[in-house]
Amino acid sequence: MRSHYCGQVDEILSGQEVSVAGWVHRRRDHGGVIFVDLRDREGLLQIVFDPDAREIFQDAERLRGEFCVRIRGLVRPRPPGTANAALASGQVEVLARELEILSRAETPPFHHDEAANEELRLKYRYLDLRREVMQKRLRLRHRVTRAMRDYLDEQGYIDIETPMLTKATPEGARDYLVPSRTHAGQFFALPQSPQLFKQLLMMSGFDRYYQIVRCFRDEDLRAERQPEFTQLDIETSFMSEEQIMQHMEALICSIFATVLGDELPAPFPRITYAEAMRRYGSDKPDLRIDLELVDVADLVRDCEFKVFAAPAANPQGRVAALRVPQGGVRMTRKEIDDCTAFVGRYGAKGLAYVKVNELAKGRDGLQSPILKFLSDAAIEGILTRAAAADGDLIFFGADTAKVVNDSLGALRIKLGHDLGMAQTGWRPLWVVDFPMFEWDADAKRWVALHHPFTAPRCEDAAELRADPANAISKGYDMVLNGSEIGGGSVRIHRPDMQSAVFDLLGIGPEEAQQKFGFLLEALKYGTPPHGGIAFGLDRIVMFMAGTDSIRDVIAFPKTQTAADLLTNAPTPVSEEQLKELYIRVRLPVKVG
């Protein structure tokens, strides 16, 4: 039907006849000569319809935007002064000799270069995907997955599929359940990840596995989350934690070099979880922003300011300072007040600050309502520890460690971008040495920080049971520009250690057998040491495409309410279907 893509027709083909097909991007009538910009996935091509070819010209007069057509014609140079250097085909045009209207189009709900709202774009996604920017994003995604496969194939990894209908297991998010018609009253679950199956593959002797796989989590959404998402899933056997991290670092470097031509700064720096929280208030710090938190609790523990003194004396509390270079000069009072409102979203009850007008004058060179509550020694200590200079602004967070970390960590990112302090380029790092567990005060039990199959650094199950609060895992996250793009760990490969972890998580022998019996059974038969990682494909492509929503790099995404505007899913199903599945629907009762 066609001999060339539109974007591939260039001056080399001058004098030749070509057949092209695509959509009418734009139609222009210039003094009796009709010009059509024809569009396909490779770009635009200018088609000229001469009125001397009466029959073809009459058909061309009926063309409208998004008509799907096929054209045969002669490639010729554009007239002097009319070339378009921005197009691959910009030096030539095609004089139409044959026009076939393959399909007509109604007036589209939005034009290809119109800034339509996202709901409209998602409802008419097939039209949205015709736009050049979306074509580029999905082709970028293709190049990323191809680069992933090429690297892993070269390293001896084997692509193996795992089940989509599986057993519901607790992995941190709500499962999507699938009722079984043949097993009345029982359900499959869509996998949150292939975690258990890839561990079973290691036990089966496939020592290097990978899969680009769909995963499902029924959780509250935001711009970087979807109910169904894609990850690059990897597992290895007989590799140390260090070897796994080296392999994965080389993988990501290879992808960025192959797809974008960008060299990531390797080796990636590594910081512990504790250091990340202390310096940045986050376990996924953005290293492009050169702002850090410093602890000052020891300096204000005995001050008269109860807002500082109380959390400083609390073992679960934290008092930290965030110095903003020249913030006292660059930020208005309204902007400072806006920061107070901002940290309130993260549970902070307020945001104290000190303006450093003239450091050499000591207390007299400072401006803040809290100075009267602080001793000269405390003030001097804070200024020294924060490395303050004239014109700086120092913010303070004082509360539980979680509130301080969340609020000042988020403020650090906000100010870094608002004040133009974020550096350009890619800043990857590894965060390591995560705690094995965190305490759930509401449930009054330990929960796994990663998942229940992550191995602790200690090799003795009795040692783990004796001090779970201080247990460190063999977990590792890869962070890029303030976002986690991959997370993994070395796994537990001994039954006694897995049982100890289940016990500490409040999963008794009976429950463990019910939920993970197949895994516990497999651990009895010579399980190799193994570990792996999962990379968020959507998130990686989002970064590389320079957008801030993973919906922009997924062909058919859901909205933030997990709805599909294109197909109007989810929808009710017939009573007959429900009867086949032995299900009765009970809708929530409306109050009031």
Side-chain angles (χ1 to χ4, degrees):
M1 183 172 281
R2 64 181 171 196
S3 61
H4 296 81
Y5 283 105
C6 292
Q8 295 174 342
V9 177
D10 56 22
E11 55 268 35
I12 297 175
L13 296 172
S14 290
Q16 298 184 34
E17 191 174 85
V18 298
S19 292
V20 290
W23 289 267
V24 174
H25 187 72
R26 189 179 289 107
R27 173 185 172 277
R28 310 183 303 280
D29 192 333
H30 288 182
V33 177
I34 294 175
F35 294 90
V36 166
D37 292 333
L38 191 66
R39 185 188 72 242
D40 63 18
R41 74 177 206 185
E42 297 297 332
L44 297 174
L45 176 63
Q46 180 169 286
I47 312 294
V48 181
F49 293 90
D50 193 315
D52 291 342
R54 182 180 298 275
E55 185 176 345
I56 298 175
F57 191 82
Q58 289 176 344
D59 287 340
E61 287 182 313
R62 293 193 288 270
L63 294 179
R64 296 294 182 269
E66 300 307 314
F67 273 36
C68 186
V69 301
R70 184 185 69 83
I71 293 165
R72 181 178 62 82
L74 179 70
V75 180
R76 68 184 189 185
R78 291 198 190 191
T82 65
N84 186 346
L87 298 178
S89 63
Q91 301 298 318
V92 297
E93 60 189 15
V94 171
L95 177 63
R97 290 177 172 173
E98 180 182 322
L99 166 63
E100 179 182 1
I101 298 177
L102 301 172
S103 178
R104 299 175 184 271
E106 295 183 3
T107 301
F110 55 89
H111 199 247
H112 52 80
D113 56 2
E114 181 182 347
N117 68 65
E118 188 178 53
E119 285 195 5
L120 194 63
R121 289 173 50 213
L122 292 181
K123 182 177 180 180
Y124 297 94
R125 189 62 162 182
Y126 43 88
L127 297 179
D128 185 45
L129 291 176
R130 290 182 190 174
R131 297 189 304 131
E132 181 183 14
V133 65
M134 294 303 298
Q135 293 266 321
K136 286 182 176 178
R137 286 169 180 168
L138 291 190
R139 295 183 73 174
L140 171 69
R141 186 184 178 107
H142 161 67
R143 295 200 306 275
V144 170
T145 58
R146 186 176 63 188
M148 288 175 170
R149 293 185 186 280
D150 288 346
Y151 175 87
L152 292 168
D153 288 347
E154 290 172 3
Q155 296 298 320
Y157 287 81
I158 302 172
D159 184 357
I160 305 177
E161 295 178 344
T162 51
M164 283 293 164
L165 296 176
T166 183
K167 184 182 181 71
T169 57
E171 293 188 43
R174 189 180 294 108
D175 286 320
Y176 275 101
L177 299 177
V178 180
S180 171
R181 180 183 60 82
T182 54
H183 300 276
Q186 298 186 52
F187 295 80
F188 294 104
L190 299 180
Q192 295 184 33
S193 77
Q195 180 61 49
L196 298 181
F197 285 104
K198 68 180 182 178
Q199 289 190 245
L200 292 173
L201 286 171
M202 296 303 101
M203 300 171 193
S204 304
F206 296 96
D207 63 329
R208 293 191 181 187
Y209 141 94
Y210 82 94
Q211 184 182 186
I212 296 175
V213 61
R214 297 291 271 181
C215 302
F216 306 85
R217 294 181 185 177
D218 186 7
E219 59 186 349
D220 294 335
L221 306 181
R222 53 178 184 253
E224 57 180 18
R225 285 186 180 175
Q226 282 280 291
E228 52 179 322
F229 58 95
T230 306
Q231 68 183 35
L232 170 61
D233 201 51
I234 298 172
E235 198 77 5
T236 69
S237 297
F238 305 113
M239 274 195 195
S240 67
E241 181 180 356
E242 179 65 27
Q243 289 172 319
I244 295 172
M245 293 172 69
Q246 288 177 355
H247 262 233
M248 298 306 105
E249 188 171 308
L251 164 66
I252 294 300
C253 286
S254 174
I255 292 168
F256 274 76
T258 301
V259 177
L260 297 182
D262 290 350
E263 298 294 328
L264 296 186
F268 299 172
R270 300 183 188 186
I271 64 173
T272 66
Y273 171 86
E275 182 184 359
M277 299 305 292
R278 175 176 58 81
R279 295 172 58 188
Y280 305 107
S282 170
D283 60 358
K284 43 184 181 292
D286 190 341
L287 298 187
R288 296 174 302 168
I289 298 171
D290 192 19
L291 297 175
E292 293 191 18
L293 282 58
V294 294
D295 286 307
V296 296
D298 59 311
L299 302 174
V300 299
R301 186 172 288 115
D302 300 323
C303 75
E304 298 177 14
F305 193 37
K306 298 300 182 185
V307 172
F308 282 3
N314 184 348
Q316 306 302 319
R318 186 180 188 190
V319 184
L322 175 66
R323 179 180 71 92
V324 183
Q326 297 302 295
V329 177
R330 300 179 62 186
M331 297 181 66
T332 66
R333 177 58 188 267
K334 182 183 183 305
E335 289 172 332
I336 294 173
D337 290 342
D338 288 345
C339 289
T340 302
F342 176 80
V343 297
R345 304 176 198 170
Y346 299 88
K349 302 177 183 66
L351 185 66
Y353 67 89
V354 170
K355 278 188 176 182
V356 183
N357 296 326
E358 197 170 345
L359 189 64
K361 290 185 177 181
R363 181 188 291 269
D364 294 336
L366 309 177
Q367 181 182 344
S368 172
I370 70 171
L371 292 173
K372 59 187 176 183
F373 300 113
L374 302 177
S375 67
D376 289 343
I379 293 172
E380 182 181 354
I382 290 170
L383 295 175
T384 300
R385 196 169 293 179
D390 290 351
D392 290 352
L393 182 66
I394 303 175
F395 286 112
F396 295 90
D399 209 305
T400 64
K402 175 174 172 45
V403 169
V404 171
N405 290 338
D406 289 350
S407 58
L408 285 191
L411 182 62
R412 171 184 172 271
I413 299 298
K414 171 182 167 56
L415 293 175
H417 287 290
D418 288 353
L419 299 176
M421 301 176 66
Q423 303 164 14
T424 58
W426 305 110
R427 294 296 302 275
L429 76 151
W430 288 102
V431 178
V432 298
D433 289 353
F434 285 83
M436 273 289 290
F437 310 105
E438 58 184 352
W439 183 252
D440 186 332
D442 294 331
K444 292 182 172 54
R445 66 181 180 88
W446 295 108
V447 295
L449 199 67
H450 269 84
H451 55 60
F453 318 108
T454 299
R457 290 221 171 275
C458 66
E459 299 295 332
D460 187 352
E463 182 182 342
L464 179 69
R465 292 177 188 271
D467 190 15
N470 293 309
I472 301 298
S473 77
K474 293 183 179 180
Y476 36 80
D477 284 356
M478 186 183 290
V479 176
L480 180 66
N481 291 7
S483 187
E484 177 197 333
I485 61 169
S489 68
V490 172
R491 323 301 187 189
I492 296 168
H493 70 281
R494 297 201 329 259
D496 63 324
M497 185 63 80
Q498 189 64 76
S499 295
V501 170
F502 282 159
D503 287 347
L504 289 167
L505 296 175
I507 302 174
E510 186 175 333
E511 183 183 359
Q513 190 62 37
Q514 178 187 1
K515 293 179 176 177
F516 308 107
F518 61 96
L519 177 71
L520 296 174
E521 182 71 14
L523 285 172
K524 299 176 183 177
Y525 296 98
T527 300
H530 60 285
I533 196 168
F535 289 101
L537 174 62
D538 309 304
R539 193 171 297 179
I540 290 173
V541 178
M542 177 188 76
F543 276 126
M544 298 175 85
T547 182
D548 58 4
S549 171
I550 63 171
R551 292 192 292 275
D552 288 337
V553 296
I554 298 173
F556 300 103
K558 307 292 189 294
T559 67
Q560 288 193 342
T561 59
D564 183 346
L565 299 182
L566 175 65
T567 64
N568 288 322
T571 59
V573 297
S574 69
E575 190 65 30
E576 185 66 26
Q577 286 176 288
L578 292 175
K579 284 181 180 179
E580 286 184 340
L581 298 169
Y582 313 100
I583 287 177
R584 179 179 298 163
V585 174
R586 293 197 310 174
L587 295 174
V589 178
K590 293 183 179 179
V591 179

